[in-house]
Amino acid sequence: DLLFRWSSGQLAMDIPAISLTPAIKASASNTYRTNLHDHGPQQAFDQDASTRWATDSGTKQAWIARDLEKKTTGSRVRIDEAIAERVRKFELQYRDGTAWKTIFSGEKIGRNFTRSFSAVTAQEFRLNILAATDGPTINEIELLAR
C-alpha cells in the first residue's frame, strides 16, 4: 500500500479534514464602494453577526437576493439591520419563474425583525428596499421554517 506523506513526514490521512463553507449565491443592486469581499451580499447570509452587506451612502432604494440552489420552503424571516431603522419601506419577495412576487410588505426593519408568513416554496428570495433614509446595511437575513 502506498501512503501519501507531507513534507513533515506526517501521513496525509492523519491530518484532520478542513470543512469548507460552500459559496453563498447572493446578489445585490449595490455594494458599498464595490467592496464585495467586506460588504458583498453574501455577508448578509453567512450567519455571522459581525459581517454585513452595505450599500453606498445616499442609496435610497436597493435589493439583496439569495439563490438557495434548490427549492426551499420558508414561513418565517429574521432580518437584522446593521444600522437600525434606515429602511423605511420594504418587501420580502420570491421568484416565481421570471417574476418577483411579494410575500409581505413592511415599514421598518431595525434590529431583530422577525415575521411569520404563509409558507412559500421557491429557490430565490429577496429583500426589496423601496425607501431608506441612507444606504441600507444588513447584518443577517435568515429564511426559516416555522
Side-chain angles (χ1 to χ4, degrees), residues 78-112:
R78 190 187 74 73
I79 306 170
D80 184 18
E81 197 171 354
I83 299 174
E85 297 189 11
R86 282 188 177 183
V87 175
R88 298 298 180 176
K89 188 175 182 183
F90 69 95
E91 301 169 320
L92 182 68
Q93 300 178 312
Y94 70 97
R95 187 185 295 275
D96 183 10
T98 58
W100 287 101
K101 295 195 175 178
T102 300
I103 300 168
F104 69 85
S105 299
E107 297 288 316
K108 292 181 183 177
I109 294 175
R111 299 248 184 221
N112 296 313

PDB file of all heavy atoms in Angstrom, residues 78-112:
ATOM      1  N   ARG A  78     -36.056  36.338   9.579  1.00  0.00           N
ATOM      2  CA  ARG A  78     -35.428  37.165  10.600  1.00  0.00           C
ATOM      3  C   ARG A  78     -34.430  38.050   9.881  1.00  0.00           C
ATOM      4  O   ARG A  78     -33.603  37.570   9.103  1.00  0.00           O
ATOM      5  CB  ARG A  78     -34.714  36.327  11.654  1.00  0.00           C
ATOM      6  CG  ARG A  78     -34.264  37.161  12.854  1.00  0.00           C
ATOM      7  CD  ARG A  78     -33.417  36.388  13.829  1.00  0.00           C
ATOM      8  NE  ARG A  78     -32.069  36.141  13.349  1.00  0.00           N
ATOM      9  CZ  ARG A  78     -31.107  37.055  13.256  1.00  0.00           C
ATOM     10  NH1 ARG A  78     -31.324  38.307  13.586  1.00  0.00           N
ATOM     11  NH2 ARG A  78     -29.904  36.730  12.813  1.00  0.00           N
ATOM     12  N   ILE A  79     -34.520  39.354  10.117  1.00  0.00           N
ATOM     13  CA  ILE A  79     -33.623  40.317   9.482  1.00  0.00           C
ATOM     14  C   ILE A  79     -33.038  41.212  10.573  1.00  0.00           C
ATOM     15  O   ILE A  79     -33.765  41.693  11.438  1.00  0.00           O
ATOM     16  CB  ILE A  79     -34.364  41.197   8.445  1.00  0.00           C
ATOM     17  CG1 ILE A  79     -35.090  40.314   7.418  1.00  0.00           C
ATOM     18  CG2 ILE A  79     -33.395  42.147   7.764  1.00  0.00           C
ATOM     19  CD1 ILE A  79     -36.037  41.079   6.513  1.00  0.00           C
ATOM     20  N   ASP A  80     -31.733  41.414  10.509  1.00  0.00           N
ATOM     21  CA  ASP A  80     -31.050  42.278  11.480  1.00  0.00           C
ATOM     22  C   ASP A  80     -30.390  43.415  10.716  1.00  0.00           C
ATOM     23  O   ASP A  80     -29.406  43.208  10.008  1.00  0.00           O
ATOM     24  CB  ASP A  80     -30.015  41.468  12.251  1.00  0.00           C
ATOM     25  CG  ASP A  80     -29.341  42.268  13.345  1.00  0.00           C
ATOM     26  OD1 ASP A  80     -29.875  43.317  13.753  1.00  0.00           O
ATOM     27  OD2 ASP A  80     -28.259  41.838  13.801  1.00  0.00           O
ATOM     28  N   GLU A  81     -30.966  44.600  10.851  1.00  0.00           N
ATOM     29  CA  GLU A  81     -30.416  45.779  10.192  1.00  0.00           C
ATOM     30  C   GLU A  81     -29.199  46.255  10.986  1.00  0.00           C
ATOM     31  O   GLU A  81     -29.266  46.446  12.196  1.00  0.00           O
ATOM     32  CB  GLU A  81     -31.491  46.870  10.121  1.00  0.00           C
ATOM     33  CG  GLU A  81     -31.203  47.953   9.144  1.00  0.00           C
ATOM     34  CD  GLU A  81     -32.376  48.905   8.937  1.00  0.00           C
ATOM     35  OE1 GLU A  81     -33.477  48.671   9.468  1.00  0.00           O
ATOM     36  OE2 GLU A  81     -32.162  49.903   8.242  1.00  0.00           O
ATOM     37  N   ALA A  82     -28.060  46.448  10.312  1.00  0.00           N
ATOM     38  CA  ALA A  82     -26.814  46.805  10.995  1.00  0.00           C
ATOM     39  C   ALA A  82     -26.884  48.192  11.636  1.00  0.00           C
ATOM     40  O   ALA A  82     -26.437  48.380  12.761  1.00  0.00           O
ATOM     41  CB  ALA A  82     -25.643  46.728  10.025  1.00  0.00           C
ATOM     42  N   ILE A  83     -27.411  49.153  10.917  1.00  0.00           N
ATOM     43  CA  ILE A  83     -27.625  50.491  11.475  1.00  0.00           C
ATOM     44  C   ILE A  83     -29.132  50.667  11.511  1.00  0.00           C
ATOM     45  O   ILE A  83     -29.777  50.869  10.490  1.00  0.00           O
ATOM     46  CB  ILE A  83     -26.927  51.576  10.641  1.00  0.00           C
ATOM     47  CG1 ILE A  83     -25.416  51.301  10.634  1.00  0.00           C
ATOM     48  CG2 ILE A  83     -27.229  52.964  11.198  1.00  0.00           C
ATOM     49  CD1 ILE A  83     -24.619  52.223   9.738  1.00  0.00           C
ATOM     50  N   ALA A  84     -29.676  50.516  12.704  1.00  0.00           N
ATOM     51  CA  ALA A  84     -31.123  50.388  12.899  1.00  0.00           C
ATOM     52  C   ALA A  84     -31.943  51.497  12.266  1.00  0.00           C
ATOM     53  O   ALA A  84     -31.596  52.674  12.349  1.00  0.00           O
ATOM     54  CB  ALA A  84     -31.442  50.290  14.388  1.00  0.00           C
ATOM     55  N   GLU A  85     -32.997  51.068  11.651  1.00  0.00           N
ATOM     56  CA  GLU A  85     -34.085  51.895  11.125  1.00  0.00           C
ATOM     57  C   GLU A  85     -33.707  52.851  10.001  1.00  0.00           C
ATOM     58  O   GLU A  85     -34.311  53.899   9.852  1.00  0.00           O
ATOM     59  CB  GLU A  85     -34.819  52.584  12.262  1.00  0.00           C
ATOM     60  CG  GLU A  85     -35.460  51.577  13.177  1.00  0.00           C
ATOM     61  CD  GLU A  85     -36.387  52.178  14.221  1.00  0.00           C
ATOM     62  OE1 GLU A  85     -36.711  53.371  14.131  1.00  0.00           O
ATOM     63  OE2 GLU A  85     -36.801  51.433  15.109  1.00  0.00           O
ATOM     64  N   ARG A  86     -32.762  52.475   9.161  1.00  0.00           N
ATOM     65  CA  ARG A  86     -32.551  53.229   7.922  1.00  0.00           C
ATOM     66  C   ARG A  86     -33.633  52.855   6.909  1.00  0.00           C
ATOM     67  O   ARG A  86     -34.076  53.694   6.146  1.00  0.00           O
ATOM     68  CB  ARG A  86     -31.174  52.933   7.316  1.00  0.00           C
ATOM     69  CG  ARG A  86     -30.055  53.656   8.000  1.00  0.00           C
ATOM     70  CD  ARG A  86     -28.770  53.465   7.229  1.00  0.00           C
ATOM     71  NE  ARG A  86     -27.691  54.216   7.851  1.00  0.00           N
ATOM     72  CZ  ARG A  86     -26.470  54.277   7.367  1.00  0.00           C
ATOM     73  NH1 ARG A  86     -26.154  53.639   6.248  1.00  0.00           N
ATOM     74  NH2 ARG A  86     -25.557  54.984   7.981  1.00  0.00           N
ATOM     75  N   VAL A  87     -34.013  51.577   6.912  1.00  0.00           N
ATOM     76  CA  VAL A  87     -35.040  51.106   5.978  1.00  0.00           C
ATOM     77  C   VAL A  87     -36.404  51.603   6.439  1.00  0.00           C
ATOM     78  O   VAL A  87     -36.784  51.422   7.593  1.00  0.00           O
ATOM     79  CB  VAL A  87     -35.037  49.562   5.871  1.00  0.00           C
ATOM     80  CG1 VAL A  87     -36.178  49.070   5.000  1.00  0.00           C
ATOM     81  CG2 VAL A  87     -33.698  49.074   5.338  1.00  0.00           C
ATOM     82  N   ARG A  88     -37.135  52.235   5.524  1.00  0.00           N
ATOM     83  CA  ARG A  88     -38.452  52.810   5.841  1.00  0.00           C
ATOM     84  C   ARG A  88     -39.604  52.118   5.124  1.00  0.00           C
ATOM     85  O   ARG A  88     -40.754  52.253   5.531  1.00  0.00           O
ATOM     86  CB  ARG A  88     -38.483  54.300   5.488  1.00  0.00           C
ATOM     87  CG  ARG A  88     -37.497  55.127   6.276  1.00  0.00           C
ATOM     88  CD  ARG A  88     -37.799  55.072   7.727  1.00  0.00           C
ATOM     89  NE  ARG A  88     -36.828  55.873   8.467  1.00  0.00           N
ATOM     90  CZ  ARG A  88     -36.899  56.072   9.746  1.00  0.00           C
ATOM     91  NH1 ARG A  88     -37.860  55.548  10.442  1.00  0.00           N
ATOM     92  NH2 ARG A  88     -35.988  56.801  10.337  1.00  0.00           N
ATOM     93  N   LYS A  89     -39.305  51.388   4.044  1.00  0.00           N
ATOM     94  CA  LYS A  89     -40.340  50.657   3.313  1.00  0.00           C
ATOM     95  C   LYS A  89     -39.653  49.530   2.542  1.00  0.00           C
ATOM     96  O   LYS A  89     -38.637  49.759   1.885  1.00  0.00           O
ATOM     97  CB  LYS A  89     -41.068  51.603   2.352  1.00  0.00           C
ATOM     98  CG  LYS A  89     -42.274  51.004   1.687  1.00  0.00           C
ATOM     99  CD  LYS A  89     -43.010  52.051   0.854  1.00  0.00           C
ATOM    100  CE  LYS A  89     -44.250  51.429   0.243  1.00  0.00           C
ATOM    101  NZ  LYS A  89     -44.951  52.376  -0.635  1.00  0.00           N
ATOM    102  N   PHE A  90     -40.225  48.304   2.657  1.00  0.00           N
ATOM    103  CA  PHE A  90     -39.587  47.160   2.024  1.00  0.00           C
ATOM    104  C   PHE A  90     -40.615  46.087   1.672  1.00  0.00           C
ATOM    105  O   PHE A  90     -41.755  46.121   2.146  1.00  0.00           O
ATOM    106  CB  PHE A  90     -38.514  46.564   2.939  1.00  0.00           C
ATOM    107  CG  PHE A  90     -39.074  45.881   4.166  1.00  0.00           C
ATOM    108  CD1 PHE A  90     -39.300  44.514   4.175  1.00  0.00           C
ATOM    109  CD2 PHE A  90     -39.378  46.616   5.293  1.00  0.00           C
ATOM    110  CE1 PHE A  90     -39.833  43.890   5.307  1.00  0.00           C
ATOM    111  CE2 PHE A  90     -39.913  46.002   6.427  1.00  0.00           C
ATOM    112  CZ  PHE A  90     -40.136  44.637   6.423  1.00  0.00           C
ATOM    113  N   GLU A  91     -40.159  45.123   0.868  1.00  0.00           N
ATOM    114  CA  GLU A  91     -40.949  43.938   0.530  1.00  0.00           C
ATOM    115  C   GLU A  91     -40.043  42.719   0.632  1.00  0.00           C
ATOM    116  O   GLU A  91     -38.879  42.785   0.242  1.00  0.00           O
ATOM    117  CB  GLU A  91     -41.440  43.995  -0.923  1.00  0.00           C
ATOM    118  CG  GLU A  91     -42.287  45.182  -1.265  1.00  0.00           C
ATOM    119  CD  GLU A  91     -42.509  45.326  -2.761  1.00  0.00           C
ATOM    120  OE1 GLU A  91     -41.553  45.091  -3.551  1.00  0.00           O
ATOM    121  OE2 GLU A  91     -43.628  45.684  -3.136  1.00  0.00           O
ATOM    122  N   LEU A  92     -40.570  41.627   1.168  1.00  0.00           N
ATOM    123  CA  LEU A  92     -39.900  40.333   1.077  1.00  0.00           C
ATOM    124  C   LEU A  92     -40.546  39.636  -0.110  1.00  0.00           C
ATOM    125  O   LEU A  92     -41.777  39.566  -0.191  1.00  0.00           O
ATOM    126  CB  LEU A  92     -40.069  39.507   2.355  1.00  0.00           C
ATOM    127  CG  LEU A  92     -39.331  38.162   2.315  1.00  0.00           C
ATOM    128  CD1 LEU A  92     -37.808  38.375   2.321  1.00  0.00           C
ATOM    129  CD2 LEU A  92     -39.742  37.284   3.471  1.00  0.00           C
ATOM    130  N   GLN A  93     -39.725  39.146  -1.035  1.00  0.00           N
ATOM    131  CA  GLN A  93     -40.244  38.580  -2.267  1.00  0.00           C
ATOM    132  C   GLN A  93     -39.623  37.221  -2.575  1.00  0.00           C
ATOM    133  O   GLN A  93     -38.577  36.872  -2.027  1.00  0.00           O
ATOM    134  CB  GLN A  93     -39.963  39.526  -3.441  1.00  0.00           C
ATOM    135  CG  GLN A  93     -40.593  40.896  -3.271  1.00  0.00           C
ATOM    136  CD  GLN A  93     -40.258  41.830  -4.414  1.00  0.00           C
ATOM    137  OE1 GLN A  93     -39.102  41.939  -4.803  1.00  0.00           O
ATOM    138  NE2 GLN A  93     -41.276  42.475  -4.953  1.00  0.00           N
ATOM    139  N   TYR A  94     -40.271  36.479  -3.490  1.00  0.00           N
ATOM    140  CA  TYR A  94     -39.712  35.241  -4.021  1.00  0.00           C
ATOM    141  C   TYR A  94     -39.868  35.258  -5.528  1.00  0.00           C
ATOM    142  O   TYR A  94     -40.750  35.919  -6.070  1.00  0.00           O
ATOM    143  CB  TYR A  94     -40.388  34.013  -3.405  1.00  0.00           C
ATOM    144  CG  TYR A  94     -41.815  33.800  -3.831  1.00  0.00           C
ATOM    145  CD1 TYR A  94     -42.126  32.917  -4.860  1.00  0.00           C
ATOM    146  CD2 TYR A  94     -42.859  34.480  -3.213  1.00  0.00           C
ATOM    147  CE1 TYR A  94     -43.446  32.725  -5.266  1.00  0.00           C
ATOM    148  CE2 TYR A  94     -44.175  34.293  -3.600  1.00  0.00           C
ATOM    149  CZ  TYR A  94     -44.456  33.408  -4.630  1.00  0.00           C
ATOM    150  OH  TYR A  94     -45.761  33.221  -5.032  1.00  0.00           O
ATOM    151  N   ARG A  95     -38.978  34.535  -6.209  1.00  0.00           N
ATOM    152  CA  ARG A  95     -39.049  34.473  -7.666  1.00  0.00           C
ATOM    153  C   ARG A  95     -39.959  33.314  -8.071  1.00  0.00           C
ATOM    154  O   ARG A  95     -39.781  32.186  -7.633  1.00  0.00           O
ATOM    155  CB  ARG A  95     -37.677  34.292  -8.294  1.00  0.00           C
ATOM    156  CG  ARG A  95     -37.734  34.395  -9.827  1.00  0.00           C
ATOM    157  CD  ARG A  95     -36.406  34.112 -10.491  1.00  0.00           C
ATOM    158  NE  ARG A  95     -35.367  35.059 -10.189  1.00  0.00           N
ATOM    159  CZ  ARG A  95     -35.184  36.214 -10.831  1.00  0.00           C
ATOM    160  NH1 ARG A  95     -36.001  36.587 -11.785  1.00  0.00           N
ATOM    161  NH2 ARG A  95     -34.176  36.999 -10.509  1.00  0.00           N
ATOM    162  N   ASP A  96     -40.929  33.653  -8.917  1.00  0.00           N
ATOM    163  CA  ASP A  96     -41.850  32.674  -9.494  1.00  0.00           C
ATOM    164  C   ASP A  96     -41.653  32.752 -11.003  1.00  0.00           C
ATOM    165  O   ASP A  96     -42.164  33.664 -11.644  1.00  0.00           O
ATOM    166  CB  ASP A  96     -43.292  33.022  -9.104  1.00  0.00           C
ATOM    167  CG  ASP A  96     -44.294  31.993  -9.611  1.00  0.00           C
ATOM    168  OD1 ASP A  96     -43.877  30.922 -10.089  1.00  0.00           O
ATOM    169  OD2 ASP A  96     -45.502  32.273  -9.542  1.00  0.00           O
ATOM    170  N   GLY A  97     -40.840  31.838 -11.552  1.00  0.00           N
ATOM    171  CA  GLY A  97     -40.481  31.927 -12.962  1.00  0.00           C
ATOM    172  C   GLY A  97     -39.561  33.117 -13.166  1.00  0.00           C
ATOM    173  O   GLY A  97     -38.499  33.204 -12.561  1.00  0.00           O
ATOM    174  N   THR A  98     -39.993  34.077 -13.978  1.00  0.00           N
ATOM    175  CA  THR A  98     -39.177  35.273 -14.199  1.00  0.00           C
ATOM    176  C   THR A  98     -39.654  36.465 -13.376  1.00  0.00           C
ATOM    177  O   THR A  98     -39.008  37.503 -13.354  1.00  0.00           O
ATOM    178  CB  THR A  98     -39.196  35.667 -15.694  1.00  0.00           C
ATOM    179  OG1 THR A  98     -40.549  35.899 -16.085  1.00  0.00           O
ATOM    180  CG2 THR A  98     -38.578  34.573 -16.557  1.00  0.00           C
ATOM    181  N   ALA A  99     -40.788  36.321 -12.694  1.00  0.00           N
ATOM    182  CA  ALA A  99     -41.380  37.437 -11.939  1.00  0.00           C
ATOM    183  C   ALA A  99     -41.090  37.322 -10.441  1.00  0.00           C
ATOM    184  O   ALA A  99     -41.051  36.228  -9.882  1.00  0.00           O
ATOM    185  CB  ALA A  99     -42.887  37.472 -12.158  1.00  0.00           C
ATOM    186  N   TRP A 100     -40.899  38.484  -9.808  1.00  0.00           N
ATOM    187  CA  TRP A 100     -40.790  38.536  -8.350  1.00  0.00           C
ATOM    188  C   TRP A 100     -42.184  38.776  -7.781  1.00  0.00           C
ATOM    189  O   TRP A 100     -42.887  39.666  -8.237  1.00  0.00           O
ATOM    190  CB  TRP A 100     -39.862  39.671  -7.909  1.00  0.00           C
ATOM    191  CG  TRP A 100     -38.421  39.371  -8.167  1.00  0.00           C
ATOM    192  CD1 TRP A 100     -37.666  39.836  -9.203  1.00  0.00           C
ATOM    193  CD2 TRP A 100     -37.576  38.530  -7.384  1.00  0.00           C
ATOM    194  NE1 TRP A 100     -36.387  39.345  -9.103  1.00  0.00           N
ATOM    195  CE2 TRP A 100     -36.299  38.537  -7.994  1.00  0.00           C
ATOM    196  CE3 TRP A 100     -37.755  37.771  -6.236  1.00  0.00           C
ATOM    197  CZ2 TRP A 100     -35.210  37.819  -7.493  1.00  0.00           C
ATOM    198  CZ3 TRP A 100     -36.679  37.068  -5.736  1.00  0.00           C
ATOM    199  CH2 TRP A 100     -35.432  37.087  -6.357  1.00  0.00           C
ATOM    200  N   LYS A 101     -42.564  37.968  -6.784  1.00  0.00           N
ATOM    201  CA  LYS A 101     -43.870  38.114  -6.139  1.00  0.00           C
ATOM    202  C   LYS A 101     -43.653  38.483  -4.675  1.00  0.00           C
ATOM    203  O   LYS A 101     -42.777  37.928  -4.009  1.00  0.00           O
ATOM    204  CB  LYS A 101     -44.675  36.826  -6.259  1.00  0.00           C
ATOM    205  CG  LYS A 101     -45.021  36.531  -7.706  1.00  0.00           C
ATOM    206  CD  LYS A 101     -46.088  35.488  -7.810  1.00  0.00           C
ATOM    207  CE  LYS A 101     -46.484  35.335  -9.276  1.00  0.00           C
ATOM    208  NZ  LYS A 101     -47.485  34.302  -9.449  1.00  0.00           N
ATOM    209  N   THR A 102     -44.457  39.387  -4.188  1.00  0.00           N
ATOM    210  CA  THR A 102     -44.314  39.884  -2.821  1.00  0.00           C
ATOM    211  C   THR A 102     -44.998  38.958  -1.828  1.00  0.00           C
ATOM    212  O   THR A 102     -46.169  38.628  -1.978  1.00  0.00           O
ATOM    213  CB  THR A 102     -44.877  41.311  -2.722  1.00  0.00           C
ATOM    214  OG1 THR A 102     -44.132  42.148  -3.627  1.00  0.00           O
ATOM    215  CG2 THR A 102     -44.758  41.863  -1.311  1.00  0.00           C
ATOM    216  N   ILE A 103     -44.259  38.567  -0.806  1.00  0.00           N
ATOM    217  CA  ILE A 103     -44.792  37.749   0.292  1.00  0.00           C
ATOM    218  C   ILE A 103     -45.477  38.666   1.297  1.00  0.00           C
ATOM    219  O   ILE A 103     -46.586  38.419   1.730  1.00  0.00           O
ATOM    220  CB  ILE A 103     -43.670  36.938   0.972  1.00  0.00           C
ATOM    221  CG1 ILE A 103     -42.994  36.006  -0.040  1.00  0.00           C
ATOM    222  CG2 ILE A 103     -44.207  36.159   2.159  1.00  0.00           C
ATOM    223  CD1 ILE A 103     -41.695  35.378   0.447  1.00  0.00           C
ATOM    224  N   PHE A 104     -44.783  39.742   1.675  1.00  0.00           N
ATOM    225  CA  PHE A 104     -45.368  40.768   2.540  1.00  0.00           C
ATOM    226  C   PHE A 104     -44.564  42.054   2.389  1.00  0.00           C
ATOM    227  O   PHE A 104     -43.436  42.048   1.903  1.00  0.00           O
ATOM    228  CB  PHE A 104     -45.442  40.326   4.010  1.00  0.00           C
ATOM    229  CG  PHE A 104     -44.117  40.188   4.709  1.00  0.00           C
ATOM    230  CD1 PHE A 104     -43.493  41.284   5.292  1.00  0.00           C
ATOM    231  CD2 PHE A 104     -43.489  38.950   4.806  1.00  0.00           C
ATOM    232  CE1 PHE A 104     -42.271  41.160   5.932  1.00  0.00           C
ATOM    233  CE2 PHE A 104     -42.266  38.817   5.450  1.00  0.00           C
ATOM    234  CZ  PHE A 104     -41.666  39.923   6.011  1.00  0.00           C
ATOM    235  N   SER A 105     -45.159  43.157   2.804  1.00  0.00           N
ATOM    236  CA  SER A 105     -44.526  44.478   2.793  1.00  0.00           C
ATOM    237  C   SER A 105     -44.410  44.972   4.226  1.00  0.00           C
ATOM    238  O   SER A 105     -45.174  44.545   5.098  1.00  0.00           O
ATOM    239  CB  SER A 105     -45.377  45.469   2.001  1.00  0.00           C
ATOM    240  OG  SER A 105     -45.504  45.047   0.669  1.00  0.00           O
ATOM    241  N   GLY A 106     -43.472  45.880   4.451  1.00  0.00           N
ATOM    242  CA  GLY A 106     -43.312  46.431   5.792  1.00  0.00           C
ATOM    243  C   GLY A 106     -42.800  47.846   5.752  1.00  0.00           C
ATOM    244  O   GLY A 106     -42.399  48.354   4.704  1.00  0.00           O
ATOM    245  N   GLU A 107     -42.805  48.481   6.918  1.00  0.00           N
ATOM    246  CA  GLU A 107     -42.387  49.877   7.052  1.00  0.00           C
ATOM    247  C   GLU A 107     -40.960  50.006   7.577  1.00  0.00           C
ATOM    248  O   GLU A 107     -40.175  50.754   7.043  1.00  0.00           O
ATOM    249  CB  GLU A 107     -43.335  50.615   8.001  1.00  0.00           C
ATOM    250  CG  GLU A 107     -44.774  50.681   7.506  1.00  0.00           C
ATOM    251  CD  GLU A 107     -44.950  51.623   6.334  1.00  0.00           C
ATOM    252  OE1 GLU A 107     -44.382  52.735   6.385  1.00  0.00           O
ATOM    253  OE2 GLU A 107     -45.629  51.250   5.373  1.00  0.00           O
ATOM    254  N   LYS A 108     -40.617  49.323   8.647  1.00  0.00           N
ATOM    255  CA  LYS A 108     -39.290  49.423   9.252  1.00  0.00           C
ATOM    256  C   LYS A 108     -38.773  48.025   9.553  1.00  0.00           C
ATOM    257  O   LYS A 108     -39.543  47.114   9.840  1.00  0.00           O
ATOM    258  CB  LYS A 108     -39.342  50.226  10.549  1.00  0.00           C
ATOM    259  CG  LYS A 108     -39.654  51.693  10.358  1.00  0.00           C
ATOM    260  CD  LYS A 108     -39.659  52.417  11.684  1.00  0.00           C
ATOM    261  CE  LYS A 108     -40.037  53.881  11.514  1.00  0.00           C
ATOM    262  NZ  LYS A 108     -40.106  54.561  12.798  1.00  0.00           N
ATOM    263  N   ILE A 109     -37.435  47.891   9.544  1.00  0.00           N
ATOM    264  CA  ILE A 109     -36.822  46.600   9.882  1.00  0.00           C
ATOM    265  C   ILE A 109     -36.190  46.694  11.273  1.00  0.00           C
ATOM    266  O   ILE A 109     -36.600  46.031  12.191  1.00  0.00           O
ATOM    267  CB  ILE A 109     -35.786  46.179   8.825  1.00  0.00           C
ATOM    268  CG1 ILE A 109     -36.500  45.903   7.493  1.00  0.00           C
ATOM    269  CG2 ILE A 109     -35.040  44.927   9.293  1.00  0.00           C
ATOM    270  CD1 ILE A 109     -35.577  45.598   6.347  1.00  0.00           C
ATOM    271  N   GLY A 110     -35.159  47.513  11.423  1.00  0.00           N
ATOM    272  CA  GLY A 110     -34.483  47.636  12.715  1.00  0.00           C
ATOM    273  C   GLY A 110     -33.712  46.384  13.093  1.00  0.00           C
ATOM    274  O   GLY A 110     -33.360  45.567  12.251  1.00  0.00           O
ATOM    275  N   ARG A 111     -33.460  46.242  14.365  1.00  0.00           N
ATOM    276  CA  ARG A 111     -32.720  45.083  14.874  1.00  0.00           C
ATOM    277  C   ARG A 111     -33.685  43.939  15.182  1.00  0.00           C
ATOM    278  O   ARG A 111     -34.764  44.147  15.717  1.00  0.00           O
ATOM    279  CB  ARG A 111     -31.977  45.458  16.153  1.00  0.00           C
ATOM    280  CG  ARG A 111     -30.974  46.552  15.943  1.00  0.00           C
ATOM    281  CD  ARG A 111     -29.600  45.992  16.112  1.00  0.00           C
ATOM    282  NE  ARG A 111     -28.632  47.077  16.006  1.00  0.00           N
ATOM    283  CZ  ARG A 111     -27.507  46.934  15.350  1.00  0.00           C
ATOM    284  NH1 ARG A 111     -27.222  45.800  14.771  1.00  0.00           N
ATOM    285  NH2 ARG A 111     -26.656  47.931  15.280  1.00  0.00           N
ATOM    286  N   ASN A 112     -33.282  42.737  14.837  1.00  0.00           N
ATOM    287  CA  ASN A 112     -34.028  41.512  15.152  1.00  0.00           C
ATOM    288  C   ASN A 112     -35.482  41.537  14.704  1.00  0.00           C
ATOM    289  O   ASN A 112     -36.376  41.131  15.440  1.00  0.00           O
ATOM    290  CB  ASN A 112     -33.924  41.187  16.643  1.00  0.00           C
ATOM    291  CG  ASN A 112     -32.499  40.875  17.033  1.00  0.00           C
ATOM    292  OD1 ASN A 112     -31.818  40.095  16.365  1.00  0.00           O
ATOM    293  ND2 ASN A 112     -32.022  41.501  18.090  1.00  0.00           N
TER     294      ASN A 112
END
